[in-house]
Amino acid sequence: MAQEADGYIQSHELLSTWNDELEYLGYILAEIVDPHGLDQRGFVWHQAADLPAIDDILKQASKRPNSRLKAVLNKTQRKKLRHLMLNARRIRNMVAHHQTPCEKEMRDMHRRKDELSGLLQSAIGLVASKFDIDHVNWYADLNLHNQPTGNPRQMARISLRDESLVSQRQEALAISLNRSHSSTSHQRRKATEEGREQHRRTYIAAQRRKAEKALRNAVVMEEQTVRKLKEIDSRYYAKRQQRLDKINRTIQLMRDEEREWKHRRSQVKMPGICSHDNILAAWFLAFLAITSPFWLCCVFVHKLWATFCKRFR
């Protein structure tokens, strides 16, 4: 498994490098031959064109009369360029579909890549010399996969007459890579300080939110406690009032029953007790009981007097 992984990684890196180099040369040739063709195919930024799009543009430029490409390349050279561009699509497809070619295929694609690269550089030099084109702008940062976002892209002026186009590309990539590393280290230091400050602000804000949340929870708990106490008190007083109302109704009922009892009892006359003679006798007995001390004294005095008179006769 490790051998397969190493083989895939090595072949993919080589194919990606070849594809980037061919896209770089194809972009320069398409830019100086038919820049409007890139616009027509939707590439607002011309450097974003891939090999199939570049192949189509060069194919149309080869067929169009009075085109710059047709002015510097004969029919055989244009046919050879067309054939090599078709083979270059295979490299692009291998990269896009993550395929792992065998050693023979790699050697064959490497040979055809070198052949196409030489033909493209030759065509670029001829077009630049014939139509007096000095340079083309190219952004090297496009090929840096570890380029931090937010950094300004570095534009390189690719001379079309003096040096090798491939070597200029490598120099531009090296310069951009060095700038990227220095900018990354500076940003890391700055990010560290900003991170500490941001962490401090975040911590303070978190503590503030925590205190506010605790205060809100305390207020809510207090409100809930007061509400529960009110509910308990209201239930108690409601039940107490119900009991008092029930007691009042019971007392009132007892009073009514007592009045009814007295009324009914007064309507009933017991024999031998409530007659007129009995009432008079009762009054007489009461009078005797009240006046008993007086008349008993009189009876006693009369008895003594009668005894005294009888003795002294």
Side-chain angles (χ1 to χ4, degrees):
M1 183 65 69
Q3 293 179 354
E4 288 81 355
D6 292 339
Y8 166 76
I9 293 173
Q10 292 176 2
S11 62
H12 188 75
E13 288 180 352
L14 284 175
L15 291 173
S16 298
T17 303
W18 298 345
N19 182 74
D20 293 342
E21 181 179 331
L22 293 177
E23 285 184 350
Y24 160 75
L25 296 173
Y27 152 71
I28 294 176
L29 183 58
E31 182 72 14
I32 62 178
V33 169
D34 188 12
H36 299 292
L38 294 170
D39 294 328
Q40 292 175 358
R41 283 165 176 78
F43 294 103
V44 180
W45 188 36
H46 294 176
Q47 192 174 331
D50 57 357
L51 281 178
I54 294 171
D55 181 25
D56 293 338
I57 293 172
L58 297 180
K59 178 181 177 181
Q60 295 298 326
S62 299
K63 295 179 180 180
R64 192 167 51 251
N66 300 325
S67 67
R68 291 182 176 181
L69 186 62
K70 199 171 184 178
V72 297
L73 297 180
N74 55 35
K75 184 176 180 180
T76 303
Q77 291 174 330
R78 294 196 303 271
K79 186 176 180 180
K80 183 178 181 180
L81 177 62
R82 171 65 180 162
H83 177 69
L84 292 175
M85 288 297 296
L86 289 175
N87 290 329
R89 288 195 177 197
R90 187 180 178 188
I91 298 176
R92 182 260 181 192
N93 293 335
M94 288 281 185
V95 175
H97 299 290
H98 300 276
Q99 297 177 355
T100 305
C102 62
E103 294 183 3
K104 182 179 179 181
E105 291 175 334
M106 288 291 292
R107 288 194 300 268
D108 182 64
M109 286 187 289
H110 190 195
R111 179 180 58 81
R112 293 181 181 275
K113 187 273 299 181
D114 290 340
E115 189 175 358
L116 178 59
S117 177
L119 183 57
L120 288 173
Q121 292 187 70
S122 176
I124 291 170
L126 292 174
V127 173
S129 177
K130 184 175 182 62
F131 295 96
D132 195 20
I133 302 174
D134 183 64
H135 68 277
V136 171
N137 295 329
W138 182 70
Y139 290 87
D141 293 340
L142 178 66
N143 298 283
L144 295 178
H145 302 290
N146 58 349
Q147 175 71 18
T149 58
N151 285 353
R153 300 297 178 182
Q154 303 296 329
M155 184 184 69
R157 292 168 59 91
I158 305 299
S159 176
L160 304 182
R161 297 183 180 181
D162 299 335
E163 304 177 14
S164 170
L165 297 177
V166 176
S167 62
Q168 291 185 69
R169 175 179 179 271
Q170 293 174 352
E171 291 177 1
L173 288 174
I175 294 173
S176 181
L177 183 61
N178 292 333
R179 290 179 179 176
S180 174
H181 287 168
S182 61
S183 176
T184 302
S185 61
H186 175 70
Q187 287 183 355
R188 285 177 180 173
R189 290 193 299 269
K190 184 177 180 181
T192 303
E193 297 174 357
E194 292 179 352
R196 293 195 188 98
E197 181 64 22
Q198 181 65 26
H199 179 72
R200 187 183 68 83
R201 289 195 297 266
T202 303
Y203 176 77
I204 294 174
Q207 293 298 321
R208 186 182 297 110
R209 289 194 299 270
K210 185 177 180 180
E212 292 176 354
K213 184 178 180 180
L215 180 60
R216 288 196 300 269
N217 292 337
V219 173
V220 172
M221 289 295 295
E222 184 178 359
E223 291 177 353
Q224 292 178 353
T225 303
V226 172
R227 185 168 58 253
K228 288 181 179 179
L229 290 176
K230 287 183 178 180
E231 292 177 356
I232 293 172
D233 293 343
S234 62
R235 286 197 297 268
Y236 166 74
Y237 287 117
K239 290 182 179 180
R240 185 172 182 271
Q241 187 63 36
Q242 291 177 0
R243 299 294 186 272
L244 291 175
D245 294 341
K246 189 174 181 179
I247 291 173
N248 292 333
R249 288 195 300 270
T250 303
I251 293 173
Q252 185 65 32
L253 182 61
M254 291 175 64
R255 289 175 179 174
D256 294 341
E257 290 177 351
E258 184 179 1
R259 283 197 299 269
E260 185 178 1
W261 170 73
K262 289 181 179 180
H263 176 70
R264 289 183 178 181
R265 189 174 178 81
S266 64
Q267 297 296 325
V268 177
K269 295 183 178 180
M270 295 183 64
I273 296 178
C274 297
S275 61
H276 181 68
D277 296 337
N278 291 334
I279 294 174
L280 292 176
W283 278 104
F284 180 73
L285 291 175
F287 175 76
L288 290 177
I290 293 172
T291 59
S292 59
F294 176 74
W295 60 264
L296 286 175
C297 290
C298 292
V299 171
F300 180 72
V301 171
H302 181 269
K303 188 68 176 176
L304 288 177
W305 176 256
T307 303
F308 180 76
C309 290
K310 187 177 180 180
R311 182 178 293 181
F312 291 100
R313 254 184 209 179

